[in-house]
Amino acid sequence: MATVVIMPRQGQSVESCVITEWKKKVGDKVAEKDVLFSYETDKSSFDELATVEGTLLAVFAEEGDDVECLLPVCVIGQEGEDISALIPKKEEAAASAAEAPKAEEAPKAEAAAPAPAAATGSANEGGRLKISPRARHLAERTDADLSRAVPTGPNGRIIERDVNTLLDKGYTNADKPATAAPAAAPVAAAAAAAAEDYTDVKLTNIRKVIAKSMHASLSNMAQLTLNSSFDATQIMAYRAQLKANGEKLGMNNITINDIVLYAVSRTILEHKDLNAHYLDDKDVIRYFNTVNIGIAVDTDRGLLVPTVFGAEKMSLNTLSGEAKNVIKAAQAGQISPDKLKGASFTVTNLGAMGIESFTPVINPPQTGILGVDAITYRVKADGTTYPAMGLSLTFDHRALDGAPAAKFLKALCDNLANFNLLLAK
């Protein structure tokens, strides 16, 4: 019996997903756990695995299509199996529309048919051609005449099979009468040569969301950054002890970043203005009674900020394990969108890259973000050196003033410099 594969719902807030790549095509054999297609939300990417074996009998969406969650995407079954009852109604309508012109083509085989008016109307919306990225790429490569295309994709979109239909009929732009003067040819050739010097890559959904969020953050907030440092001798010694004995004690590999996260979780509740959301549309500041720490993570798809909820209730070892879990899931593109929101404060660490000071950008509607800098060595008055770690705190001056922000940064530095005492509390 054929099985319909639907677009999964990745988190309660996700309404649709974009198909980024098909790993299988119609007619391919499929085994359980084979990757059928890749897709992304506005913040993460996923692979859809087959739960049954069989043959891919039908595909209802192309690469680049934005598909509503829980709608059919494809069908897996046995070759020759009747799946007509499983085909979405809009697909049936599109198929009928594609068949209609074929009946009229036979008596006009010798004549160059003009572009169907109905096709042009359905393929455009507000003057913008509705075409999948895959179909556009094929049309550009083959010089297909898209004005003659009959769209059969979802919502009247031109898809790859429509371009192949044009090519089968010989409908290319080369058939059109020349409208440019011969003198324009060298100019066109020069422009084509210049175009080969660069590559245009369409922005991913994730990059567009990051761009919009960062622009809004800097445009709408009154951001100010404070920089300080502390003596990192204790946290370095403590981490060295854990590396030597942690495995025997059943401890995680505690990192410097884990230690900073722990110190933040124990410090920030006493500085509520930074453990908050500034809701300017409601003229409200929302103070949190728990510490939900966002961790900035660099991934192949762009910056993601997964959240560790209730960090102030966790031991250092538990917090370290949870942080590693969400970081790994974010980097693998398998994190739930529900874990990419809800943070009350964010920590971003560029210290491992040797950055000694920077200006982190706040993740709205949070009121602050902490940048963790590299460890450098400084000289004391007696001539001895010590490891100094820098911290960069950006805060929203609309929500709090400089003094409260400075008090939090000083308290955090003190707790990190005296980490052994912090652990004893």
Side-chain angles (χ1 to χ4, degrees), residues 15-16 28 64 76 84 94 173 187 198 207 253 300 304 340 360 370 393:
E15 297 180 353
S16 65
D28 284 355
I76 300 174
S84 57
N173 289 315
V187 177
Y198 60 85
R207 176 48 56 190
N253 176 27
D300 293 338
L304 297 180
L340 292 171
L370 181 74
L393 173 69

Side-chain angles (χ1 to χ4, degrees), residues 10-162:
Q10 294 291 352
Q12 295 301 313
S13 61
V14 178
E15 297 180 353
S16 65
C17 302
V18 176
I19 294 178
T20 54
E21 183 182 3
W22 276 99
K23 305 292 186 179
K24 298 286 185 179
K25 61 180 182 294
V26 174
D28 284 355
K29 297 293 183 183
V30 176
E32 285 189 51
K33 296 186 179 181
D34 278 355
V35 178
L36 297 172
F37 58 90
S38 299
Y39 62 98
E40 64 179 27
T41 67
D42 59 351
K43 293 183 178 178
S44 195
S45 301
F46 305 88
D47 290 330
E48 179 63 15
L49 306 182
T51 58
V52 297
E53 63 178 20
T55 300
L56 187 60
L57 300 179
V59 167
F60 306 133
E62 292 289 309
E63 292 177 359
D65 286 346
D66 195 347
V67 182
E68 290 184 28
C69 296
L70 309 183
L71 285 187
V73 177
C74 61
V75 176
I76 300 174
Q78 302 303 317
E79 290 186 26
E81 188 172 356
D82 181 13
I83 61 169
S84 57
L86 303 178
I87 299 177
K89 291 182 179 180
K90 67 177 181 180
E91 292 292 326
E92 291 178 346
S96 298
E99 291 296 326
K102 294 182 180 179
E104 301 174 2
E105 284 168 10
K108 302 179 182 179
E110 299 299 323
T120 303
S122 61
N124 290 271
E125 184 176 337
R128 182 174 178 270
L129 189 66
K130 295 172 65 178
I131 182 171
S132 72
R134 192 167 175 174
R136 185 183 296 278
H137 178 71
L138 177 60
E140 291 173 350
R141 186 159 43 88
T142 59
D143 202 29
D145 183 2
L146 293 176
S147 67
R148 302 185 181 190
V150 178
T152 63
N155 302 315
R157 175 179 286 196
I158 297 172
I159 58 178
E160 187 179 31
R161 66 179 174 222
D162 303 328

Side-chain angles (χ1 to χ4, degrees), residues 219-237:
S219 300
N220 300 330
M221 288 187 180
Q223 300 192 29
L224 181 66
T225 301
L226 304 179
N227 295 287
S228 189
S229 65
F230 64 93
D231 186 340
T233 299
Q234 279 198 18
I235 65 171
M236 292 180 68

Side-chain angles (χ1 to χ4, degrees), residues 162-175:
D162 303 328
V163 179
N164 283 323
T165 299
L166 293 175
L167 298 175
D168 291 342
K169 296 175 183 177
Y171 292 163
T172 66
N173 289 315
D175 298 330

